[in-house]
Amino acid sequence: MEPVTTLPTESHTEFDAQPSVRGSWRTYGQPVSVALVSGGLVLILRETGILVGAAAVAVAVICFVLAPGTRQFSDRFMLAAALCIGWLPLIGWLPRIESRIDLPGVLLAIAVGIVAARQLRQGRRGPRTVQLPSAAEWIALGLGALTSLWWARPFRGMTTSGILGTLQNIGYDNVTHFGMFRSNLRLGSFVQAQPTLPGGVSRLGYDYPQGIHQAWAQLTRLVQPHVSVASASLLHTYLTVLLVTAGGAVALGCMAVCRLCKEDVLVAIPAMAVVLALFAVGTFTPFDGFANFELAIVAVATAVTLMVRPTLSPGWNFFAVAGMGLVAAYNWYPVVALMAPALVVASLRAWRSSHGRARVAMTVVICGTALAYLRPVTTFSHRGLSWLNQPTSSLATPWGLLILVVAALITLACVRQVSDPDLWTNVVIGGAAVMGGGAVVFFAAYEVHSTGSVPYYGQKLASAVLAICAVVLVAVAAHHLVRSRARKRLPTLLAVALSGLLAFAALQFDGYVGPSVLSPFPSNNAGGIALRKLVFQQPRRSIDAARVLLAAQRTGGRPGRWFYLEPNPPSGIRSILLAQWFLVLHGDPANEDSFAPTLDGTYSASQLAHAVRATYPHPEENGFHLFVPAWLRRAIAEQDAAWGRPGRLFVIPTPTSI
């Protein structure tokens, strides 16, 4: 029998093996075209003033929901936070870029283009949005929103002068942060990118890390591309970004807990209560000038928890961990030490998971990230260690609690290594306590040797280590409790009762929280609650602040070096605060001008006039202009004809309304 030969039913050529032109267009051409058109439409709508304000925020949220990537809500939240407050502020190293173009608008256009192309290309295949938040994740978002609203309530009904007066009275550092925020808006970059004024002197904030200020500037320009830096409107914007930061810090810390135990809301709630105790009602409040500090603490704690139960690919995990570390490096550098093990392990895992050209690209990214971490050090390294000896301190760390928390976290890492061996993850967990405890011992020893006590920065570092270790401790402990046999056997009603009881107990972590009549030790009340009561007691209007605002408005950006001098203000506020707020409201002050003497004390008018002439000599040659009380203006003009000429001395204005 002859073999049967099966003939092909149709012939195939080399040309037939290639994708058709129509197929290539559908695969690549259509998505690219849609991305370009949608991105261009965003830019047009931004330029015409339509896609601004709430509309711009809404589009950004839609991009968050529809963007490609991980579907788990807490993972996507971590990536978005790392991008917005860690990576994007690095744009601040580019001089004047944001003052020339609508940079947030360009980024929004890119995001919309990517989302539109992805939705078109994916069609009906597979999931197209992020998963709905779990119950625990909804609670985390709600706690963040409630924190912002809770702090906003005392400011309701305040005039602009009342807001300024409150910021003056409750946080000395607010003036510096406001000045750097204003500079980042005006310059479109970090002050370090343009550190000197036209005269060659250093700008205010020339050596201060400004990650949060650049993030605030980008957020502000997203909402309002051509934002006004007029003093009155910008104060309201500054208040808003402080409130957003307070709520965002709480949401980020709570989301770190949710990522580890989101399937069990009853276990997550007590751990989130510790975050709330620290960053909503406790030591780290939004209006005492520590907004950058608290954000750095939360970011470091989050970076460490990201190495526990990895739910992201090694590359994206590195992106998130490194982004959180950048938040610390560009806001409060010393706490970077606590997440250094996490950064090293995340870098190695990302590098080892890549191959070929991808490994080369990952090597470049890791090296570039290292340079981004080192760059801020060069701006303040000239201070040496002498800055640690600043004597004043508004913080008092509970040293016993600090030792207990650090020891507990080290113990937890050791127990994990015995029961669930994972050496590098446990090194990251225990490393936060070891590195933090070691840093506190080193700095405290240096300060005690230099000054005989542990002053401001030593107390501040100790408070940061306590907060970071506490958040990591409760998050990791909650993660293990979720998987434990005891939790699975616990009846629902008993679990609910225990969760509520533990949550109330956790709220007491950083001071008493509860009805004042039940407070056993009023002096041990949570610091945030006490500060909020102080805000409620502030006047809705402030005559001192209104005078400063009006004086700054009247200068109108006029050239020269302008100063505000009111010795011994009748309201009792420190005159240096009035002088410094005037400087930052007027324009971009020189760093040295912010430390000009304000001549408080018991002196006669002639003595003060003589002191003014000595402090501000040769007004015409140096371009000096002064706002002073009327009685001091007369005394100075009588002693010095140069100061008596028009355009040199101005009487502090009396506003008709405040």
Side-chain angles (χ1 to χ4, degrees), residues 194-271:
Q194 303 174 64
T196 57
L197 290 165
V201 295
S202 299
R203 295 180 188 270
L204 178 67
Y206 76 100
D207 62 349
Y208 194 95
Q210 294 159 33
I212 194 172
H213 310 94
Q214 183 62 211
W216 285 344
Q218 293 179 14
L219 173 62
T220 300
R221 290 195 180 277
L222 172 66
V223 176
Q224 189 176 353
H226 306 290
V227 63
S228 170
V229 293
S231 55
S233 63
L234 201 59
L235 277 170
H236 290 270
T237 303
Y238 177 71
L239 176 61
T240 301
V241 294
L242 282 179
L243 293 169
V244 170
T245 302
V250 170
L252 181 58
C254 290
M255 203 63 71
V257 173
C258 294
R259 196 188 65 83
L260 295 180
C261 52
K262 72 166 189 173
E263 63 271 18
D264 195 332
V265 66
L266 295 180
V267 174
I269 286 175

Side-chain angles (χ1 to χ4, degrees), residues 597-651:
T598 49
L599 310 178
D600 282 336
T602 305
Y603 304 103
S604 66
S606 60
Q607 289 174 322
L608 282 171
H610 180 76
V612 168
R613 291 173 54 224
T615 304
Y616 306 97
H618 311 295
E620 293 183 350
E621 179 181 339
N622 292 312
F624 290 144
H625 308 272
L626 275 177
F627 278 96
V628 294
W631 55 269
L632 184 54
R633 181 182 185 277
R634 290 192 297 268
I636 297 173
E638 289 175 358
Q639 291 187 10
D640 192 333
W643 272 114
R645 293 172 182 170
R648 294 297 164 190
L649 286 175
F650 298 85
V651 175

Side-chain angles (χ1 to χ4, degrees), residues 77-83 85-87 252 295-296 298-304 306 318-331 336 339 373:
F77 188 92
M78 296 295 177
L79 291 171
L83 174 66
I85 59 178
W87 290 99
L252 181 58
L295 194 62
V298 176
V300 168
T302 300
V304 175
L306 281 167
F318 167 76
F319 178 88
V321 172
M324 294 299 171
L326 288 171
V327 177
Y330 283 80
N331 286 290
V336 171
M339 54 83 57
Y373 273 81

Side-chain angles (χ1 to χ4, degrees), residues 128-177:
R128 304 177 70 180
T129 65
V130 67
Q131 292 176 347
L132 286 174
S134 66
E137 289 166 343
W138 277 120
I139 291 174
L141 293 175
L143 290 176
L146 288 175
T147 297
S148 295
L149 294 173
W150 189 73
W151 278 106
R153 178 65 181 85
F155 290 90
R156 185 178 180 182
M158 274 193 187
T159 63
T160 303
S161 67
I163 293 173
L164 176 54
T166 302
L167 293 174
Q168 290 172 342
N169 290 329
I170 66 175
Y172 184 92
D173 289 344
N174 276 312
V175 61
T176 305
H177 290 301

Side-chain angles (χ1 to χ4, degrees), residues 266-423:
L266 295 180
V267 174
I269 286 175
M272 288 192 285
V274 173
V275 177
L276 201 67
L278 285 166
F279 302 105
V281 297
T283 300
F284 308 103
T285 56
F287 298 108
D288 53 9
F290 292 165
N292 61 327
F293 181 51
E294 69 175 82
L295 194 62
I297 292 171
V298 176
V300 168
T302 300
V304 175
T305 63
L306 281 167
M307 302 303 295
V308 183
R309 185 179 173 251
T311 52
L312 294 166
S313 67
W316 284 116
N317 190 66
F318 167 76
F319 178 88
V321 172
M324 294 299 171
L326 288 171
V327 177
Y330 283 80
N331 286 290
W332 214 76
Y333 207 101
V335 293
V336 171
L338 279 76
M339 54 83 57
L343 181 61
V344 172
V345 174
S347 302
L348 289 175
R349 288 178 178 175
W351 187 80
R352 288 175 179 174
S353 67
S354 57
H355 304 281
R357 293 181 179 178
R359 175 166 288 188
V360 175
M362 182 57 67
T363 302
V364 172
V365 169
I366 292 173
C367 292
T369 303
L371 292 177
Y373 273 81
L374 293 174
R375 184 66 179 87
V377 178
T378 63
T379 65
F380 53 79
S381 58
H382 66 280
R383 298 186 181 187
L385 291 178
S386 60
W387 58 276
L388 289 174
N389 298 328
Q390 182 174 325
T392 59
S393 177
S394 58
L395 295 172
T397 305
W399 295 96
L401 182 60
L402 171 62
I403 294 171
L404 180 63
V405 169
V406 169
L409 188 55
I410 295 174
T411 302
L412 177 61
C414 294
V415 171
R416 273 179 53 93
Q417 185 58 28
V418 173
S419 62
D420 187 15
D422 184 0
L423 178 61

Side-chain angles (χ1 to χ4, degrees), residues 567-590:
N568 306 310
S571 64
I573 191 172
R574 296 180 64 185
S575 58
I576 190 172
L577 276 175
L578 298 178
Q580 290 178 338
W581 273 103
F582 169 80
L583 285 173
V584 299
L585 289 168
H586 162 68
D588 289 335

